[in-house]
Amino acid sequence: MERIPHSQSQRKMPGALHLAVVLGLLLLLWVAFGGNDFTAVIIGVPTVLLALAAALWLSPSWEIRVNPFAFAMFVPVFLVLSLAGGMDVARRALSPTPRLDPALITYALRLPKGTPRDFFVLMISLLPGTLSAEMEGDTLTVHVLDQQQDNAAALASLEQRIAGVFRQSLHEQEETGA
């Protein structure tokens, strides 16, 4: 009997451990926002279950491997970058003479297409004075508030951290002759 290969539209579903981890994280998030008010359980349980169903439905693939140690190490980086990015923009906005030298820069993406790359593009806005503007193929255009900063190094460092979280190796971009 001939074996029929899986089509790309079929997705591998997560195992019980993966579901338990996602459910546990969603519950922790609900408790963090809801506090210890147990009357919130009436709203919390259905909300968490709907969030889990949405995660199952929206996930492009459950075959993504996350390095738990690298993820744990990324959480404080995420928090520091969030604070630093917010403070940088606030400082610039409230300063009587804001230091602005805006530009659009291009960055050659080294993460493979998929969730790790998408996550990186979303996280760029955490870096002080940066915002993802456009992605075309393996090139990302980033709006920066100060082109004198070493934006390329900050982007490369963030991309490297995210590669570690998703257990990905970074691809070097081929040089194009000018």
Side-chain angles (χ1 to χ4, degrees):
M1 177 177 245
E2 183 179 344
R3 187 172 186 164
I4 301 171
H6 292 294
S7 71
Q8 287 188 353
S9 65
Q10 293 178 324
R11 298 183 293 172
K12 181 180 177 184
M13 291 304 291
L17 179 61
H18 193 111
L19 284 173
V21 168
V22 172
L23 183 61
L25 289 172
L26 290 170
L27 286 170
L28 284 173
L29 190 61
W30 181 264
V31 170
F33 287 123
N36 60 1
D37 181 9
F38 291 105
T39 59
V41 169
I42 295 168
I43 295 171
V45 170
T47 302
V48 166
L49 292 175
L50 283 172
L52 179 63
L56 289 170
W57 185 63
L58 294 173
S59 177
S61 171
W62 285 98
E63 297 180 22
I64 297 168
R65 298 178 331 173
V66 174
N67 179 335
F69 179 74
F71 179 77
M73 298 304 292
F74 184 74
V75 170
V77 170
F78 172 84
L79 296 173
V80 167
L81 287 176
S82 297
L83 184 62
M87 289 178 60
D88 179 69
V89 170
R91 180 182 51 79
R92 290 175 197 271
L94 298 174
S95 173
T97 56
R99 193 181 85 234
L100 295 173
D101 189 10
L104 289 173
I105 63 170
T106 58
Y107 181 78
L109 295 164
R110 299 174 296 151
L111 278 166
K113 291 180 182 175
T115 301
R117 179 183 282 191
D118 296 341
F119 186 69
F120 168 65
V121 170
L122 290 172
M123 292 296 106
I124 286 174
S125 62
L126 294 176
L127 296 172
T130 60
L131 178 68
S132 298
E134 181 181 20
M135 184 169 44
E136 189 173 321
D138 291 336
T139 302
L140 180 68
T141 302
V142 180
H143 180 270
V144 298
L145 291 179
D146 185 357
Q147 63 183 316
Q148 301 307 314
Q149 293 180 162
D150 195 358
N151 295 296
L155 292 168
S157 175
L158 180 62
E159 189 177 31
Q160 182 67 46
R161 285 184 182 277
I162 290 172
V165 168
F166 288 99
R167 298 180 185 197
Q168 296 289 314
S169 55
L170 298 176
H171 305 291
E172 293 303 320
Q173 296 297 322
E174 295 177 13
E175 294 294 323
T176 57

